[in-house]
Amino acid sequence: MRYAQIAGWGMHVPSRLVKNERFVELGLDTSDEWIATRTGIRQRYIAGNESTSDLALRAAQEALYVSGTHARDIDLILLATCTPDQVMPSTASLIQDRIGATGAGAMDLNAACAGFVYALAMGAGQIESGRARQVLVIGADELSTHLNWRDRSTCVLFGDGAGAVVLKESDEPGILSSTTGCDGAGADLLMIPAARPNSRANGHSPKGVGYLTMNGPQIFRWATQMMAKAAEKVITASGLKLEQVDLFIPHQANLRIMETTAKRLGLPLEKVFSNVRQYGNTSAASIPIALYEAVAAGRLKGGDNVVLSSFGAGLSWAAVALRWGANVPAQHTRWSPLRRELEARMAAVRSTLRRQERAVRATIGERLRRDGD
Ligand code: ACO
């Protein structure tokens, strides 16, 4: 039997820390108390000059390092994001180039906040079927670029960030089961209308184009039901009993959603991991960042059963049950800045050479064509 196991993990958030009080200072009609009690969020990190690919790159490099994998041995890069650097090419293709993953296919996947768990399920499937041996799965988003900073009901909720894991082929159980789902009838509850200059697709006025809009209370109610159902499904499919679940990592959107979900499941709160307080809702990055911090905090040991459950715009949802690998170290050392810098430079040199080679070939081809004329 061939399994997919998480062998490395990484995360990165921008350096600009924005505490709840900052919104009040900027004149928004809100308070630290309201935000903290209604959501559990105290602060978030917001990107300045860094793009989604910049954040994703740092998380990916760390995950590769922790897993001891060379970028050239990666078969596939799946990048879950709803805030790509541009419409095309995919942000995953930029990562493929910047890490030097010369043997990898690369694509983006958009299932909003549920994207990382979707991508994890897809990546595991590729390994289990024998089509790939090592898959780099990234969740990265910069929802701050779509926030209306005058809309207190949305702008206080989100933060930017990236998280990544390396999935490797293994004889030991890793990913045990997964489920994905979607209810497009709820698509209008959480949207970022496309910023396409000539788009008539969704009837939104140009004023609203590009901004995130959300029906918070409806999403709240739906999320508490859906995350619990999805989690139950993978627990059952894995042949586990609820009491055998060692750690539950839900999408980090709102502490109250997480607590209600745990209650519905019948899981004690000690088994629920949450770091929404520090990062806000980082969309597709939320679960890999939480997983990273759970490892760093010593909350996972070899053989532990972990359940990830997520929800997002779509409305989409996904859950995964996994067994934490026995060979995976309980703690990991931070990425050595020197070695990361060296590998990044080598990838940059390779990329420059490839571009120059392509330019030279194009020039020669043009000359030959002209000579032929
Ligand atoms: N500060 C102060 N007051 C606020 C704020 C704020 N930041 N935001 C809203 N309010 C006010 C509202 O205006 C309203 O006032 P009113 O009663 O005078 O009209 C009051 O607070 C209650 O508003 P509700 O929206 O009913 O508040 P609720 O308790 O539902 O909390 C929240 C709102 C936090 C948005 C909650 O509904 C929620 O978390 N929903 C889920 C959202 C979510 O998870 N989204 C991410 C999905 S993942 C993805 O794909 C991106």
Side-chain angles (χ1 to χ4, degrees):
M1 187 72 186
R2 195 194 306 259
Y3 295 99
Q5 205 169 74
I6 293 178
W9 45 90
M11 67 165 274
H12 185 70
V13 290
S15 55
R16 196 198 312 168
L17 173 64
V18 178
K19 296 194 175 204
N20 288 348
E21 292 82 0
R22 187 69 186 135
F23 292 105
V24 183
E25 285 164 19
L26 292 172
L28 199 68
D29 182 15
T30 188
S31 64
D32 173 45
E33 205 256 331
W34 192 96
I35 302 169
T37 51
R38 302 310 293 162
T39 71
I41 300 167
R42 293 317 282 249
Q43 61 176 52
R44 75 286 294 139
Y45 294 85
I46 301 291
N49 293 330
E50 296 152 296
S51 63
T52 296
S53 65
D54 292 327
L55 305 181
L57 175 71
R58 300 284 293 274
Q61 287 172 325
E62 185 172 12
L64 287 171
Y65 174 73
V66 170
S67 69
T69 311
H70 286 292
R72 61 175 181 272
D73 296 327
I74 293 290
D75 301 311
L76 180 64
I77 300 170
L78 295 173
L79 172 56
T81 186
C82 58
T83 54
D85 283 16
Q86 61 271 309
V87 175
M88 66 178 185
S90 70
T91 304
S93 67
L94 307 182
I95 301 299
Q96 180 276 331
D97 180 53
R98 289 175 75 183
I99 62 174
T102 47
M107 64 177 277
D108 288 358
L109 182 158
N110 180 355
C113 298
F116 175 81
V117 184
Y118 257 80
L120 195 65
M122 304 299 136
Q126 290 296 103
I127 290 177
E128 287 153 8
S129 66
R131 293 196 183 91
R133 299 185 66 193
Q134 315 204 70
V135 180
L136 175 61
V137 183
I138 310 168
D141 264 316
E142 283 190 352
L143 277 178
S144 69
T145 55
H146 291 284
L147 294 176
N148 173 356
W149 297 103
R150 305 312 310 161
D151 177 7
R152 66 179 182 173
S153 66
T154 54
C155 75
V156 301
L157 303 177
F158 299 95
D160 300 329
V165 299
V166 172
L167 278 178
K168 283 193 181 188
E169 185 185 37
S170 168
D171 298 335
E172 300 293 318
I175 306 296
L176 300 171
S177 64
S178 65
T179 182
T180 56
C182 184
D183 175 11
D188 58 327
L189 296 179
L190 178 47
M191 309 186 73
I192 301 174
R196 283 192 284 154
N198 298 319
S199 172
R200 289 176 299 278
N202 49 29
H204 280 267
S205 72
K207 215 171 150 215
V209 164
Y211 285 119
L212 182 146
T213 60
M214 181 177 76
N215 183 326
Q218 279 202 45
I219 299 266
F220 189 103
R221 275 192 295 279
W222 166 78
T224 51
Q225 291 162 13
M226 210 54 242
M227 275 215 297
K229 273 189 197 156
E232 266 164 3
K233 198 168 170 184
V234 292
I235 291 168
T236 307
S238 304
L240 294 172
K241 294 197 173 65
L242 189 66
E243 49 279 18
Q244 289 176 295
V245 174
D246 298 292
L247 195 65
F248 178 50
I249 306 183
H251 172 44
Q252 306 288 306
N254 183 320
L255 190 59
R256 290 190 297 134
I257 295 180
M258 293 182 245
E259 288 175 353
T260 312
T261 302
K263 208 166 158 193
R264 272 181 197 271
L265 277 170
L267 264 182
L269 286 181
E270 309 85 78
K271 290 193 172 182
V272 182
F273 189 85
S274 173
N275 60 4
V276 72
R277 178 189 168 92
Q278 292 100 296
Y279 301 104
N281 177 351
T282 55
S283 188
S286 106
I287 286 194
I289 288 178
L291 181 69
Y292 178 100
E293 293 213 323
V295 179
R299 295 280 301 269
L300 285 174
K301 56 182 189 317
D304 276 359
N305 296 310
V306 185
V307 174
L308 316 176
S309 190
S310 61
F311 67 93
L315 299 170
S316 53
W317 64 90
V320 157
L322 63 94
R323 183 148 312 137
W324 196 246
N327 302 328
V328 175
Q331 294 284 339
H332 70 275
T333 52
R334 288 290 291 179
W335 168 260
S336 144
L338 194 65
R339 188 173 152 195
R340 177 164 60 187
E341 187 61 30
L342 198 67
E343 291 211 349
R345 277 178 197 229
M346 280 166 62
V349 169
R350 190 204 59 81
S351 175
T352 308
L353 289 175
R354 291 277 297 143
R355 282 163 212 266
Q356 284 174 353
E357 183 194 338
R358 198 165 279 131
V360 169
R361 279 178 195 276
T363 313
I364 293 172
E366 179 63 17
R367 286 220 183 111
L368 287 175
R369 197 180 57 74
R370 265 201 239 126
D371 289 352
D373 291 345

